[in-house]
Amino acid sequence: MSQEDLPPSVVGALRCSVCGDPVAPAGRSLRCPRRHSFDLAKQGYVNLLHAKVPAGTADTAEMVAARVEFLGAGHYAPMADLVAAQAAGTTGLVVDAGAGTGYYLSRVLDELPEATGLALDVSALALRRAAKAHPRLGAAVWNLWAPWPVATGSASLVLNVFAPRNGAEFHRVLESGGRLIVVSPQPGHLRELAAVVDLLDVDDRKEQRLDAALSAYFEPEDRFEQQQTVTLSPGDARRAVLMGPNAHHPARLTRLAELTEPLAVTTAFLVSVYRRKDVTTPTGPGNPRR
Ligand SMILES: C[S@@+](CC[C@H](N)C(=O)[O-])C[C@H]1O[C@@H](n2cnc3c(N)ncnc32)[C@H](O)[C@@H]1O
Ligand SMILES: [Zn+2]
């Protein structure tokens, strides 16, 4: 296994998803002392899953391609810059929970010369891209709702951008004093597009729900609302829809073909920064990680 696939510090933080023991490289696999073995894909990510993920959870190839192209056009770069600025000064391991194609994690790693990154996502298709997105980034397929195959206290920072939030695991994998940065859409995000296409609504009480869900484990530290107008070509407008959860609802997509002119669209993000509380993470039979 080459360092480019999985940096040694990322391997050091990974745990066997069957028994919780540390893993080490063995040829093109990671293996624990009990000989549970996980193949490294030729595209450079490791698959630690040993259970099937419910259909419809992972991004499809079409969603991944749409996201790569849309994000590559830079429409969300100001938000990525804001996240990177908040991450400044971090050394050690940055875990991106639901990293997708690695766009935000690689932007953050650019800002942090002494950090390495672990991209966790259930979509192997997305992680093919993430694994190549940055030399200090390693990628592992995992279901965020299950206990993570990541050592307790191994991370300095957890990122969570438009992805499932497992507060207990964010807390467990973070070191004492570690930070969590959560990005979520605000009401009004893509509203001009929502007027054309029947998009899923953004919950306008999301902020309160976010704090409530995390309050047992995290102290809110900072919060930034970022609103901008971006002009999207018809192709980018289509990709903005196809890269998100609306892609799982084909009935919502039929009117996309009506977009033929550039569209000025509002982007509205909430970037929330939290500090880990020093409370004991509940552990139990379902959480064997060490
Ligand atoms: C809207 S995308 C955001 C991806 C990335 N953070 C970004 O903004 O480009 C949501 C991501 O969460 C992943 N995801 C959804 N459910 C998941 C789960 N249960 N476990 C791990 N990843 C999951 C999807 O595969 C997808 O990559
Ligand atoms: Zn094992």
Side-chain angles (χ1 to χ4, degrees):
M1 176 183 312
S2 80
Q3 293 220 168
E4 273 172 31
D5 291 329
L6 288 174
S9 55
V10 171
V11 174
L14 289 176
R15 292 294 177 264
C16 172
S17 58
V18 179
C19 70
D21 276 353
V23 288
R28 292 288 299 167
S29 309
L30 291 181
R31 197 186 293 162
C32 81
R34 296 171 210 230
R35 305 187 78 75
H36 301 124
S37 180
F38 307 93
D39 288 346
L40 193 76
K42 67 174 186 302
Q43 295 90 353
Y45 63 86
V46 64
N47 190 344
L48 296 172
L49 274 181
H50 46 85
K52 282 234 179 303
V53 170
T57 304
D59 283 4
T60 60
E62 194 186 28
M63 289 167 75
V64 171
R67 183 162 314 118
V68 168
E69 208 165 325
F70 181 88
L71 292 174
H75 302 300
Y76 289 179
M79 184 265 278
D81 291 346
L82 176 54
V83 171
Q86 289 310 304
T90 305
T91 54
L93 183 69
V94 181
V95 177
D96 189 347
T101 56
Y103 176 77
Y104 297 101
L105 182 55
S106 62
R107 173 71 189 84
V108 163
L109 290 174
D110 279 341
E111 198 75 23
L112 308 176
E114 290 173 53
T116 48
L118 168 61
L120 292 179
D121 202 288
V122 78
S123 166
L125 287 169
L127 290 187
R128 284 181 185 191
R129 307 294 191 128
K132 304 267 179 274
H134 198 283
R136 282 180 278 121
L137 185 162
V141 181
W142 190 249
N143 173 11
L144 296 172
W145 292 125
W148 299 0
V150 177
T152 298
S154 58
S156 312
L157 175 68
V158 171
L159 298 180
N160 182 248
V161 185
F162 305 139
R165 285 190 275 274
N166 183 340
E169 285 297 88
F170 291 167
H171 182 265
R172 186 186 62 78
V173 302
L174 276 170
E175 65 190 15
S176 176
R179 292 188 311 147
L180 164 68
I181 301 179
V182 179
V183 182
S184 45
Q186 288 271 67
H189 181 58
L190 304 182
R191 73 173 120 84
E192 299 81 359
L193 201 51
V196 179
V197 187
D198 179 25
L199 290 184
L200 295 173
D201 282 341
V202 175
D203 175 354
D204 58 5
R205 292 195 8 258
K206 217 163 181 164
E207 238 166 278
Q208 291 93 313
R209 288 212 334 226
L210 179 59
D211 282 347
L214 295 172
S215 64
Y217 305 109
F218 291 92
E219 213 74 76
E221 200 176 70
D222 238 327
R223 176 157 275 168
F224 306 87
E225 289 178 25
Q226 191 188 60
Q227 185 157 328
Q228 292 187 314
T229 306
V230 295
T231 302
L232 301 183
S233 66
D236 276 346
R238 253 189 293 281
R239 287 185 273 276
V241 177
L242 292 176
M243 73 184 206
N246 293 281
H248 291 301
H249 302 263
R252 296 176 188 274
L253 307 179
T254 47
R255 294 190 58 202
L256 272 182
E258 291 171 24
L259 291 169
T260 52
E261 299 294 323
L263 188 65
V265 168
T266 304
T267 62
F269 303 111
L270 181 68
V271 178
S272 305
V273 184
Y274 296 88
R275 176 83 56 185
R276 183 189 184 280
K277 279 186 185 171
D278 270 334
V279 293
T280 311
T281 308
T283 48
N287 189 352
R289 315 282 169 238
R290 295 184 273 270

